[in-house]
Amino acid sequence: MKEFGFLRSVVDVSEFEPYNVLIIEDEYPARMLMMDYVMNCSELKLAGIAENGEKATKLLSEKKFDIVFMDINLPAISGLEILKSNTSPNTFFIVTTAYSEFAVLAFELDATDYLLKPFAFERFRKSVDKALRFLKEKKTSNFNSIEKQTHLKIQSDSATFLLPIHEIQFISANNKSCVIHTNTKDYETAKLLKEIEEKLPSDHFFRIHKGFLVNLQFVSSLRYDKGGAYTLQLKNEDETTLPVGRSFAQSLKDALKL
């Protein structure tokens, strides 16, 4: 058995998921208001908060977010720079700012909506509904394409492989490459974990740690250590156990409906 940590109480698992939200806001009162608004929308899950552009960029590289509410004027890295660098077609950005002159540029950079401060909950809710429509359309589109997409294409050691998606158990980061663990063999590829994550169906594969992406179909149990750590056990020959990062634990429990 491959072990990563000490196991205590065990919780059995099953299914899935609200939409993950990231709030990027440097002003405390505005940040608290946004948190309150998000928590008053049952379809949303507050999955991350960043007070500056640098922290926001780090979170966006480590974790999948469905909706991002982002101020434009941020310390370190501006919201517009973050928009320019966004490469995920599955993340929808809603810009929040007191400056109306940035609206055109924000939309040119594919922002989903533009909230001019101060804004009431009703206006916020309209933005949420707009983003949810796009997300549901995207999910339907992804589902239809995934029905046809049965393999993941990867390059490994000068060879190209087509890996059956249903045989991929989990993927682990290895510096600037990844190892894809399947039912029969492990494959190393010079791709970042985030790049591979975006090629796989999000209703089957879930980020549990900055270094691990797991196929939920192989999850056997989520184990809790009294010290506060979680460990995931897989249904495979090795009964592999993997660590769950603290920032991913609650989202994972929500995904598994625990």
Side-chain angles (χ1 to χ4, degrees), residues 73-247:
N73 291 323
L74 296 168
I77 303 171
S78 75
L80 291 176
E81 289 179 273
I82 293 172
L83 266 178
K84 287 176 185 175
S85 63
N86 174 52
T87 58
S88 173
N90 301 316
T91 301
F92 293 86
F93 283 78
I94 296 173
V95 171
T96 63
T97 180
Y99 304 97
S100 59
E101 63 266 29
F102 294 113
V104 173
L105 181 54
F107 284 121
E108 286 178 352
L109 294 172
D110 293 328
T112 301
D113 205 352
Y114 193 93
L115 294 175
L116 191 60
K117 297 177 182 177
F119 49 87
F121 179 75
E122 290 72 21
R123 178 65 185 88
F124 171 86
R125 182 69 229 192
K126 284 183 180 179
S127 279
V128 170
D129 289 340
K130 183 178 181 181
L132 291 179
R133 282 197 305 273
F134 289 151
L135 280 163
K136 287 169 185 174
E137 289 170 6
K138 193 78 177 177
K139 193 169 185 179
T140 301
S141 173
N142 286 348
F143 178 79
N144 291 336
S145 63
I146 287 161
E147 287 288 288
K148 301 170 187 175
Q149 176 202 344
T150 58
H151 293 73
L152 174 68
K153 182 179 178 181
I154 66 157
Q155 189 77 22
S156 178
D157 296 329
S158 302
T160 300
F161 296 93
L162 289 174
L163 307 181
I165 287 177
H166 70 275
E167 291 187 6
I168 299 173
Q169 299 177 1
F170 69 102
I171 304 165
S172 58
N174 181 21
N175 294 320
K176 292 187 178 180
S177 64
C178 283
V179 178
I180 300 173
H181 306 264
T182 75
N183 292 345
T184 56
K185 187 178 176 181
D186 294 344
Y187 299 84
E188 186 167 5
T189 180
K191 292 284 185 183
L192 296 176
L193 192 59
K194 183 176 174 63
E195 293 179 83
I196 296 176
E197 180 179 10
E198 291 180 353
K199 293 181 179 179
L200 292 168
S202 60
D203 57 339
H204 285 71
F205 290 85
F206 197 89
R207 183 79 77 96
I208 64 165
H209 185 279
K210 65 181 181 180
F212 294 101
L213 180 67
V214 168
N215 186 343
L216 294 178
Q217 294 180 329
F218 283 92
V219 173
S220 172
S221 63
L222 180 63
R223 302 175 177 230
Y224 178 68
D225 176 48
K226 289 183 179 177
Y230 285 93
T231 308
L232 202 67
Q233 183 168 327
L234 302 185
K235 293 181 286 189
N236 59 11
E237 187 177 345
D238 295 319
E239 296 185 339
T240 305
T241 60
L242 302 170
V244 177
R246 289 184 182 274
S247 63

Side-chain angles (χ1 to χ4, degrees), residues 20-25 31 35 38 45-51 55 59 63-65 67-69 247 251:
N20 283 342
V21 170
L22 171 63
I23 294 173
I24 309 173
E25 174 60 67
R31 192 163 61 246
M35 290 170 61
V38 168
K45 170 67 181 178
L46 183 56
I49 300 171
E51 302 83 15
K55 182 178 178 182
L59 284 172
K63 193 172 180 180
K64 177 186 174 294
F65 296 97
I67 304 175
V68 178
F69 293 96
S247 63
S251 295

